[in-house]
Amino acid sequence: MRRGFLALGDSYTIGEGVPEAGRWPVQLADLLRARGIALDAPRIIATTGWTTDELDAGIDAAHAAVPIPTDHALVSLLIGVNNQYRGRSLTEYEVQFAGLLERAIEFAGGEASRVIVLAIPDWGVTPFATQSGRDRAQIATQLDAFNLAAQRMTEARGARFVDTAPVSRERGGEVAMLAEDGLHPSGAMYALWAEAAFPFAERH
């Protein structure tokens, strides 16, 4: 029986500013186990600040250190916010995201239905964005475009897209939903993501 869970991403997957138990992949695994679904604790390959190409290189490095199996029960992918933050193009994102999606599917034994992709949250609603004088409307527009592209590619390949963007936009500015840095989500927000991902992951 497959039990492995591989979580690929950036600060949102490693859970910048929250304890390990608060990370959304860890919370999702806990939810699945509570429903009697056998799943290992997630192996997380993610680092704060990573862009799509940096995640790709990070996967290579992690695989060289400890080989990544290709029979995971579940693989998650959440990447792109740092591409947008650094002003990198949508076209570049589409190309690199497509490559990462294929790698995720390979790690799931070629079964795309075992892969879930989470939307990039709108960090423009956070106090950090306000205090740094960022153009919140521009951030929202650009992230919507990134997410639309990711959703289109994900669904075209038969993987599952979890649209966590609306709840992140609606509640992402609340103090309780933020880590101490005023930018990254708190464990409470990650719990909402895990709950949103649960129906998709449960069908893996």
Side-chain angles (χ1 to χ4, degrees):
M1 177 184 293
R2 296 185 179 194
R3 296 177 58 101
F5 178 10
L6 179 67
L8 308 172
D10 50 36
S11 60
Y12 295 130
T13 295
I14 199 64
E16 178 72 22
V18 303
E20 182 177 350
R23 299 169 179 171
W24 77 261
V26 174
Q27 294 197 56
L28 176 59
D30 288 343
L31 285 175
L32 290 166
R33 285 194 292 265
R35 294 291 182 91
I37 298 171
L39 193 69
D40 293 337
R43 178 179 179 183
I44 296 177
I45 301 175
T47 293
T48 297
W50 269 359
T51 52
T52 42
D53 56 322
E54 290 166 342
L55 172 58
D56 195 51
I59 293 170
D60 288 342
H63 182 67
V66 180
I68 304 170
T70 56
D71 62 349
H72 288 87
L74 184 65
V75 181
S76 69
L77 177 62
L78 167 51
I79 193 69
V81 69
N82 296 297
N83 293 63
Q84 182 276 329
Y85 184 81
R86 297 188 201 174
R88 292 166 63 165
S89 73
L90 175 61
T91 300
E92 178 191 65
Y93 175 72
E94 289 175 321
V95 172
Q96 295 180 356
F97 176 86
L100 288 168
L101 179 61
E102 290 306 317
R103 297 195 78 175
I105 293 170
E106 289 173 8
F107 293 136
E111 296 185 39
S113 62
R114 294 181 181 272
V115 175
I116 58 172
V117 174
L118 267 66
I120 306 165
D122 184 356
W123 62 274
V125 304
T126 67
F128 172 88
T130 302
Q131 293 163 9
S132 58
R134 301 282 178 164
D135 186 334
R136 299 172 67 179
Q138 181 184 60
I139 293 168
T141 298
Q142 291 175 346
L143 289 176
D144 282 347
F146 276 48
N147 281 328
L148 185 62
Q151 182 173 10
R152 173 176 50 79
M153 288 185 278
T154 298
E155 293 178 346
R157 285 293 284 113
R160 306 178 189 279
F161 187 81
V162 185
D163 191 3
T164 50
V167 69
S168 298
R169 185 165 283 159
E170 177 184 348
R171 302 196 60 190
E174 297 177 15
V175 173
M177 295 294 162
L178 288 161
E180 289 186 9
D181 63 8
L183 171 61
H184 291 94
S186 68
M189 174 60 82
Y190 287 139
L192 297 180
W193 294 10
E195 290 167 9
F198 176 80
F200 297 86
E202 187 181 28
R203 299 197 296 269
H204 74 267

